[in-house]
């Protein structure tokens, strides 16, 4: 049975206290707000409107949970790095994302979305640097590969792979195109392994500890600063 055969929207969360009770593994999708994250999710799930695709970057403002039918979840995180989002909202996103990524025991790994034409931005590197401390796997999708020629795309892939080998050997990377349906099998194989054989190696007590945690009251500042170090002005409007 396909990993995404029974995928469906489960809930949307804008406060830590509303995170669903841990009952299985979770894999988060993260990336810059105009890198094509929602399109990648829809393409992998073969559902045209599963994740909302907007022509206005920064539209996703919540953590969206999609259930895979067996208590596992694909988690769509708010896109980062869009300057026109009000400061108060950016700070709220920052706290929500950082706390989720730092403390969610059932989070197995992260799929990081990068536009192949603008890979390894400062905010992407910041995310990689921080998340590497969790020692959890990261798989990078170089999206919009159809925007480059095959030779150009292969060259970018080679450079990014070399960089990762030197700095973040726990990360893997591939080419991906939602428009052309390229890279679906490779990405699906990675996710199937994470939710299956690889994910099964996580000790059950991690899930039990998450389920027993006391809900977080309030939202105090803290965690990584995806919008503050550095503050980039990335306001290009590109269709996701």
């Amino acid at each position: 049975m396909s990993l995404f055969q029974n995928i469906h929207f489960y809930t949307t969360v804008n406060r830590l206290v509303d995170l669903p009770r841990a009952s299985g593994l979770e894999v988060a999708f993260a990336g810059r707000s105009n890198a094509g994250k929602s399109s990648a999710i829809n393409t992998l799930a073969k559902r045209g409107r599963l994740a909302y695709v907007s022509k206005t970057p920064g539209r996703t403002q919540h953590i969206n949970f999609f259930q895979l039918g067996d208590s596992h979840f694909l988690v769509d995180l708010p896109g980062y790095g869009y300057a026109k989002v009000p400061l108060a909202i950016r700070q709220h996103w920052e706290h929500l994302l950082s706390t989720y990524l730092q403390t969610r025991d059932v989070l197995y790994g992260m799929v990081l979305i990068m536009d192949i034409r603008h890979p390894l931005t400062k905010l992407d590197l910041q995310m990689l640097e921080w998340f590497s401390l969790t020692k959890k796997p990261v798989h990078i999708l170089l999206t919009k590969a159809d925007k480059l020629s095959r030779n150009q795309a292969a060259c970018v892939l080679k450079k990014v792979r070399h960089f990762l080998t030197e700095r973040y050997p726990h990360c893997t990377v591939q080419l991906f195109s939602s428009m052309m349906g390229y890279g679906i099998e490779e990405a699906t194989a990675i996710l199937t392994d994470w939710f299956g054989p690889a994910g099964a190696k996580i000790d059950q007590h991690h899930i039990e500890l998450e389920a027993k945690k006391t809900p977080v009251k309030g939202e105090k500042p803290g965690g990584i600063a995806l919008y503050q170090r550095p503050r980039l002005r990335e306001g290009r409007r590109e269709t996701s």
Side-chain angles (χ1 to χ4, degrees), residues 2-4 29 39-47 111 139-143 145 174-193:
S2 170
L3 175 65
F4 302 104
F29 275 63
S39 294
I41 293 173
N42 289 337
T43 299
L44 289 170
K46 297 181 180 179
R47 304 283 184 84
V111 176
H139 185 61
I140 296 173
L141 300 185
L142 296 176
T143 59
Q174 68 164 97
L175 300 176
F176 193 87
S177 170
S178 296
M179 181 68 69
M180 303 301 294
Y182 180 77
I184 296 176
E185 291 185 1
E186 183 177 353
T188 298
I190 291 287
L191 291 171
T192 299
D193 181 59

Side-chain angles (χ1 to χ4, degrees), residues 63-75:
I63 297 179
N64 295 314
F65 285 76
F66 299 96
Q67 190 168 15
L68 296 177
D70 54 1
S71 299
H72 295 330
F73 291 93
L74 185 155
V75 185

Side-chain angles (χ1 to χ4, degrees), residues 62 65 72 89 98 100 104 111 127 130 160 197 202 231:
H62 300 73
F65 285 76
H72 295 330
I89 293 179
S98 62
Y100 168 77
R104 192 70 165 172
V111 176
M127 173 64 85
W130 176 82
V160 172
I202 294 182
R231 281 201 181 282

Side-chain angles (χ1 to χ4, degrees), residues 121-182:
T121 67
K122 290 183 179 180
L123 289 178
D124 293 331
L125 293 176
Q126 187 176 334
M127 173 64 85
L128 283 173
E129 182 64 23
W130 176 82
F131 200 72
S132 67
L133 300 178
T134 70
K135 301 185 184 302
K136 295 179 179 181
V138 176
H139 185 61
I140 296 173
L141 300 185
L142 296 176
T143 59
K144 306 183 183 182
D146 56 285
K147 301 295 184 180
L148 301 180
S149 69
R150 289 189 177 183
N151 288 338
Q152 289 173 326
C155 183
V156 173
L157 176 63
K158 182 178 180 180
K159 290 180 178 179
V160 172
R161 183 170 285 153
H162 177 73
F163 173 83
L164 294 174
T165 300
E166 295 292 326
R167 294 279 300 275
Y168 306 101
H170 65 291
C171 297
T172 52
V173 62
Q174 68 164 97
L175 300 176
F176 193 87
S177 170
S178 296
M179 181 68 69
M180 303 301 294
Y182 180 77

Side-chain angles (χ1 to χ4, degrees), residues 7-18:
I7 190 171
H8 60 276
F9 174 77
Y10 182 77
T11 190
T12 186
V13 173
N14 196 33
R15 301 182 305 163
L16 294 171
V17 70
D18 294 327

